[in-house]
Amino acid sequence: MSAEKAIEAIQLTKRFGDFTAVNQVSFEIPRGEIFGLLGPNGAGKTTTIRMLCGILEPTAGEARVMGYDVAKHAEEVKQRIGYMSQKFSLYDDLTVYENLGFYANLYGVPREKLKPRLAELIAMAGLRGHEKQLTRDLSGAWRQRLALACAIVHEPPMLFLDEPTAGVDPVSRREFWEMIYQLAGQGVSVLATTHYMDEAEFCNVIGMMYRSRLIALSDPDSLREGVIGVLFEVDCQEPGRAELVLKDLPLVQDVAAHGVLLHVQVASEKQRAELEQTLQSNGIVVERIERILPSLEDIFVSLVDHENRQHKRADKD
Amino acid sequence: MRQGFRRMATIVRKEWLHIIRDPRTLALVIVFPVMMLVLLGYAVANDVEDIPLAVADLSKTDASRLLVDKLTVSGFFMVTHSAQSEDQILEMLDAGTIKAGLYIPEGFGREVTTGGTGVVQFYIDGSNPTIAQTAQLAVETVSQSTSQEILVQRLERSGAGMTIHLPVDARVRYLYNPNLRKMNFLIPGLVAVILQVQTLLLTAFAIVREREQGTLEQLIVTPVRSWELMLGKILPYILVAFINVAMTVAVGAIWFGVEIAGSIALLAALSLIFLLGSLGLGVLISNVSRTQMQAMYMASFIMMPSFLLAGLLYPRENMPWVAYYAGYLLPVTYFLEIVRGIILKGAGFFTLWNWIWPMAVFSVVVFFASVFMFRKRL
Ligand SMILES: Nc1ncnc2c1ncn2[C@@H]1O[C@H](COP(=O)(O)OP(=O)(O)OP(=O)(O)O)[C@@H](O)[C@H]1O
Ligand SMILES: [Mg+2]
């Protein structure tokens, strides 16, 4: 059963003293998927990745990566994963080629395949002509691509990327994700963390972490449809007054102005008519009411609200 | 196994690139020990001789001239000034133009020739205890031997032609360091201590730097094993440390004239054993340090006692017993005896065995402990 899974985490927990950085996180990722782990600073994303890579020992719970237990078979796991750490840790005083060669030799890439493999990676990372350049002189985006090349030098079937696009311009970010897509197309499973919600759109599966817990796990479309009720975009005259009217309505969960349009959140599709009636009975001309999909950012914020409310309730009890 | 060797060689190559890509640090690493040797060599080992002396000889007799002659001939004093009174001597001492003064009163010669005791006053600047002690010792010795000579002359004159011999004559001959030069005592010790400092700092920094940069985390996820990583990191520094040994010993011999009496091969082999343990200590330090700053402080916990307790400056035999036994806990103590033994006495392997085996045990234990404790986890 585990053969088809790239990652299985069961109640994975890490404590540093009294502080719990990762709290009973469980999930399963099928092979060949791109899994995006989202969450604010300090949510526990890096700590989760470090446990999965065998850098940190879990305090409790267990995890299997490519079918191998990370605590018991760390060496097996290491042969099968590539890891790009949060800081693009490269040797600044080594050249592009030396950095790549260093990891290729450590991973035991066969000597006869070494040259073609490095040439291939340099082409992929768009670093041709810069082989002899010292890494410290590379720009952010190039460092990032070199770090990726180093991480996949041994053609691992599983790739961990910890904030791979931090501090990189939008165009290079997009190019980077194209590379990740290509790898995924070759059957590589990917786990990537990010702060950028728009990048989550590149993922097949999304996990949201908040305060050391995994608070959502789903594909982006189900997240959009299932998690918060229904979102309507309302185009009407006098949007200012309309906002006030709708705010007082019990069936409305949330109203937000987006330019001249209003985003209104309600529990179900059926309440569209009620919205329209209420506005018209208040003398507001409605041009159009249309159901829209919430952005992942909307979802994340509402999930966090929900989580915080539960926390408060729990504290009161 | 072959893969393991390849990984280790990869680490060695990378570490070597770090070393040569940073020529400024490399220059420091190579030059620093020699600089320390020269500096400390001059600072600590200036043997006390030619202490500037002012003489106020109011007696102006054969006896007084004999005393002054004997003081200068001893080599410890050099008469740089002559004075007319005690006050003048005191003024010069105050001004620091002399370190010692001799006042011979008018009646000195008469007292001596008539069989009495001639009293002279000797002043010593006590602000530098080393100079003061040397001066005191020298004056006592010289005045005793002068007294003897005068006594013998007196007896011979009264005893009408018979020759007098002193009943006891103890002759002392110093072995190994015939001129009792402190330099000879110090230089071999410095070689040992400098090595300790170098290796400790270099390895600790080399590993902690990777932790700081985050590259250690990247290394941990590769299949490289702890001992491969450790050896790979240490080997280049063994070479650097060896260059250091060679240069300090050479400077000691050429500049300070402390030649190697024993076998250079033995010295090299035993240095290697010492280095292994010392580098291992560096790794242990890097295990418990998160930053290079912390590593620096940790290292000084080992370095300071090395300077004080190992017997570099003062013979351990004169230390209070706590310090004396604490010295046995430091590997550099053993190595220091070994280096002194080889350089000064030309001692061989078996003579030094009592110092070699504890050092070897220490090195092996520390080295393997450091490999095991070198956690590949963060
Ligand atoms: N070695 C450690 N010792 C103590 N606390 C730690 C350690 N490593 C991480 N933490 C704490 O655990 C929490 C989670 O850290 P983690 O790095 O996993 O968060 P993250 O989600 O990756 O955040 P970011 O987006 O900032 O990278 C943080 O509060 C952090 O301070
Ligand atoms: Mg992180």
Side-chain angles (χ1 to χ4, degrees), chain A residues 50 53-57 71 74-75 78-79 83-85 87 89-91 93-95 98 102-111 114 134, chain B residues 2-3 6-8 10-11 13-14 17-19 21-22 209-225 376-378:
Chain A
R50 282 181 173 162
C53 293
I55 299 168
L56 282 177
E57 228 161 331
E75 299 306 315
K78 280 173 189 173
Q79 282 289 356
Y83 171 52
M84 194 173 145
S85 65
K87 294 191 285 184
S89 315
L90 299 159
Y91 295 102
D93 51 347
L94 264 52
T95 64
E98 284 163 350
F102 175 70
Y103 286 107
N105 278 310
L106 276 194
Y107 278 109
V109 173
R111 279 178 209 278
L114 200 69
L134 285 185
Chain B
R2 267 190 50 222
Q3 282 297 329
R6 179 178 173 195
R7 288 190 291 256
M8 190 185 78
T10 304
I11 303 271
R13 211 174 315 129
K14 183 211 70 155
L17 285 175
H18 288 320
I19 295 176
R21 287 279 157 82
D22 188 2
R209 191 179 49 210
E210 295 227 23
R211 201 191 295 275
E212 270 184 342
Q213 289 176 346
T215 42
L216 191 62
E217 185 171 346
Q218 204 70 51
L219 282 180
I220 290 169
V221 297
T222 70
V224 73
R225 294 186 213 292
K376 270 182 68 194
R377 290 169 192 270
L378 282 187

